[in-house]
Structures are given as structure tokens and as C-alpha cells.
């Protein structure tokens, strides 16, 4: 009897050991489930639909939950200037980043990824780094292209051509007005307005949305669209008969970048730096493009950059540096003497 009792005790202990070990092994595969996910709060001027895809993809990849706070440029500048330690990063357009740099609100950040970015896409001391850019291109109808002996691949050539042109009203969108300011900054007022004046009779419609000129070309309602590359690439990906021509004498572009706020805590600074590196990666490009958002990476080390057919695109080097009063005057002049001229 004593022998059976001993055997029962040993068997019971073995069962306890096996059950305990199984629970530990089962739990070992899900350790992360019990660990609080790191939170990263980001102020941004980007559209909500763009950042939502980035947040979801990055959380899945790194187990860091990114909370974007969409704000208009001026509102973002004022809130970031207050120094909230719970907000670590700004992902915004270049003018917003430049103003925060002037206010001394960024902590310089340099990594292998940011170091590879060309100088004209980032702040010299590393206060912020551009992650994507969106140039203005000539989106040409494929059938129209086949009728040409010489492709109008400069601003003057397009203005002197017989093409039906679609473009966005300079007053309707920031990317459109940036083209006006960039042409003036690069070529001077006289030449810039001369090109726009020659172009005006060929314009089928000044649209209110950036996508509509590209749609017009895709549907054969216009021959050429002066349009942002991101919208053009979206229509190309959807199978529309459109070819992209990059202006040989240079073009304007919008730049988006990221900077780490100096008021952020140490742990958040590291997380913010990791997120900047992610934004420069092919993973970020894949996340955006899989949902129809096409922006050109500034990182020449990325596969997306090396596969980009227009990587030698000529960009205007003279950045618009005009006051709000000057910009308003430029727009007023265009509206009065070109847009609604008799």
C-alpha cells in the first residue's frame, strides 16, 4: 500500500510539473501581448487617410502605436511651440518645418537613412529631414503623344504648343499656388508671367481639385495636364493612357518631412527617430502605394528610388521665399491679368 501511495505522489508531482511547464511555454509565445505597447504622438499636416495607413502598417511591424494629430500649418506651429512633452514628432510640409526650426523647436537627428538623403531635401543641421516629395509633371495623353514629332518638354515649349491643357487653379490648392511662386522664384516675374500668359489660351479648364486635370487627360478631354506626380501615378496605375514627361528645364515640388521635438522625453525621442527611419524605408512606400498614395521617396538607398524611372528629374533649386503679402500680390496679379483677362 505504501508503495502505491508513493507512486501516486510521484505521478501527481509529474502532472504538476508538466502542466506548469506547458503554461509557461504557451505564455512564452505571447509575451508581447502582456506588455504595454509604446505610444508615439505625432503632429501632422498630412491628410488623415494618408497617415492612417502609415500608423496601421507601422504598428503591425514594430508594435508601436502611432497617434497622429492632424492640424493646419499655423495651428501645428503654435501647438508645437508650446512644448508638450507627450508629443514627440512633427510630420509636415517643408514651410511648417522651417518655421519650427527658426523657433528652435527641433532636436537634430541623424541616422544612416537620413544621412543618405540629398542636402536639398533636408535641414542642414539635421533639425528635420524630408521623407517624400511630389513634383509637378506634364501628364500627357498617350494618343496625343503619338501625334507629335517633338514633345513639348519645357515650360516655354508647352506654352507655345497647340496642346489642350488642364491644370488646377492657383487659388484652389497649395500645390498649385506653389507652382506659381516657384516659377517666379526660378525664372523671375517677367518670364514666369509670360509663360503663364501664353499657356492661358490653351487651358481647357482651371479645376478646383488636383486630380481633375489628370482625369481629363486620361479621358481624352485634354492633351496635357500640369499636375502633381502623385495623382498622375495613381491614374497610370489604374490603367489610364497617360505618359509622364518631366519638365527638362526644371519643376516645382512639394516636400514633406519629419522632425523630433526637443520637448519630447528621452524614450519618445528614440521612438521618433526609429519612425523617421521607417518613413524613409520601402516598407512605408509599400504601405502608401498599396492604398493608392504615390509620393517619391527622398532616400536614394531605397529600392523605390532606384526603380523610379524619373529619378534624374530636374527640380527647381530656387526655393520660394516670399512673404504672405507677396504671395497674395502674385496671385492677385495672375487672377486679374491672366485668369480673367479679356
Amino acid at each position: 500500500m505504501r508503495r502505491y501511495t508513493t507512486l501516486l505522489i510521484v505521478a501527481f508531482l509529474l502532472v504538476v510539473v508538466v502542466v506548469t511547464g506547458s503554461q509557461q511555454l504557451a505564455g512564452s509565445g505571447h509575451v508581447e501581448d502582456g506588455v504595454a505597447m509604446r505610444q508615439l504622438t505625432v503632429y501632422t499636416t498630412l491628410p488623415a487617410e494618408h497617415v492612417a495607413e502609415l500608423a496601421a502598417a507601422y504598428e503591425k511591424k514594430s508594435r508601436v502605436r502611432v497617434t497622429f494629430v492632424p492640424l493646419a500649418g499655423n495651428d501645428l506651429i503654435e501647438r508645437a511651440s508650446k512644448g508638450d512633452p507627450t508629443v514627440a514628432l512633427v510630420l509636415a510640409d517643408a514651410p511648417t518645418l522651417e518655421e519650427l526650426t527658426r523657433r528652435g523647436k527641433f532636436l537634430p537627428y541623424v541616422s544612416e537613412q537620413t544621412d543618405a538623403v540629398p542636402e536639398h531635401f533636408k535641414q542642414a543641421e539635421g533639425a528635420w529631414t524630408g521623407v517624400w516629395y511630389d513634383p509637378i509633371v506634364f501628364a500627357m495623353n498617350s494618343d496625343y503623344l503619338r501625334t507629335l514629332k517633338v514633345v513639348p518638354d519645357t515650360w516655354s515649349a508647352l506654352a507655345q504648343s497647340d496642346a489642350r491643357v488642364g491644370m488646377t487653379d492657383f487659388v484652389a490648392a497649395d500645390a498649385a499656388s506653389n507652382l506659381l511662386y516657384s516659377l517666379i522664384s526660378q525664372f523671375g516675374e517677367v518670364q514666369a508671367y509670360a509663360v503663364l500668359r501664353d499657356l492661358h489660351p490653351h487651358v481647357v479648364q482651371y479645376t478646383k481639385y488636383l486630380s481633375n486635370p489628370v482625369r481629363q487627360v486620361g479621358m481624352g478631354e485634354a492633351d496635357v495636364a500640369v499636375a502633381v506626380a502623385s495623382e498622375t501615378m495613381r491614374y497610370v496605375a489604374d490603367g489610364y493612357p497617360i505618359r509622364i514627361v518631366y519638365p527638362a528645364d526644371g519643376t516645382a515640388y512639394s516636400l514633406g518631412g519629419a522632425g523630433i521635438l526637443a520637448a519630447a522625453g528621452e524614450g519618445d525621442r528614440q521612438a521618433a527617430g526609429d519612425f523617421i527611419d521607417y518613413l524613409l524605408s520601402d516598407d512605408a512606400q509599400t504601405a502608401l502605394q498599396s492604398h493608392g498614395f504615390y509620393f517619391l521617396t527622398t532616400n536614394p538607398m531605397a529600392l523605390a528610388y532606384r526603380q523610379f524611372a524619373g529619378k534624374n528629374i530636374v527640380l527647381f533649386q530656387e526655393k520660394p521665399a516670399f512673404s504672405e503679402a507677396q504671395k497674395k500680390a502674385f496671385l492677385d496679379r495672375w487672377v486679374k491679368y491672366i485668369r480673367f483677362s479679356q
Side-chain angles (χ1 to χ4, degrees), residues 42-46 51 68 71-73 76-77 89-98 100 106 128-132 254-259 279:
V42 182
Y43 286 152
T44 186
T45 57
L46 269 63
V51 295
F68 284 100
L71 297 166
L76 190 155
I77 290 168
L89 191 70
V90 170
L91 177 61
D93 55 272
T96 298
L97 297 169
E98 288 168 351
L100 287 172
F106 287 133
W128 59 268
T129 300
V131 291
W132 312 299
S254 300
L255 177 65
L279 295 175

Side-chain angles (χ1 to χ4, degrees), residues 170-183:
F170 290 148
V171 180
D174 288 342
S177 60
N178 182 60
L179 171 59
L180 171 62
Y181 310 142
S182 296
L183 287 170

Side-chain angles (χ1 to χ4, degrees), residues 322-336:
F322 304 118
S323 67
E324 292 304 313
Q326 288 175 309
K327 291 178 180 179
K328 184 179 183 304
F330 291 145
L331 280 172
D332 289 345
R333 181 178 177 184
W334 175 77
V335 168
K336 183 176 180 180

Side-chain angles (χ1 to χ4, degrees), residues 115-229:
D115 188 53
V117 173
E119 294 298 325
H120 57 273
F121 285 139
K122 61 187 178 184
Q123 199 274 334
E125 283 74 39
W128 59 268
T129 300
V131 291
W132 312 299
Y133 69 104
D134 197 7
I136 298 291
V137 301
F138 299 157
M140 297 195 177
N141 181 276
S142 298
D143 292 334
Y144 168 73
L145 264 179
R146 283 192 283 269
T147 69
L148 300 176
K149 293 182 178 179
V150 179
V151 176
D153 63 351
T154 68
W155 291 98
S156 295
L158 180 62
Q160 297 296 327
S161 73
D162 60 356
R164 297 172 301 159
V165 177
M167 60 188 297
T168 304
D169 194 317
F170 290 148
V171 180
D174 288 342
S177 60
N178 182 60
L179 171 59
L180 171 62
Y181 310 142
S182 296
L183 287 170
I184 293 171
S185 182
Q186 184 72 21
F187 299 136
E189 288 187 61
V190 174
Q191 185 178 349
Y193 281 114
V195 168
L196 296 173
R197 190 176 298 109
D198 290 341
L199 190 62
H200 175 69
H202 304 288
V203 176
V204 175
Q205 181 184 2
Y206 291 104
T207 67
K208 293 183 178 180
Y209 296 94
L210 294 172
S211 60
N212 279 340
V214 189
R215 181 198 59 78
Q216 291 175 328
V217 169
M219 299 299 291
E221 298 167 4
D223 301 318
V224 181
V226 177
V228 292

Side-chain angles (χ1 to χ4, degrees), residues 58-78:
Y58 190 64
E59 180 175 328
K60 184 177 181 180
K61 175 183 174 63
S62 64
R63 292 190 57 79
V64 174
R65 178 164 295 148
V66 181
T67 300
F68 284 100
V69 182
L71 297 166
N74 289 335
D75 292 337
L76 190 155
I77 290 168
E78 293 308 313

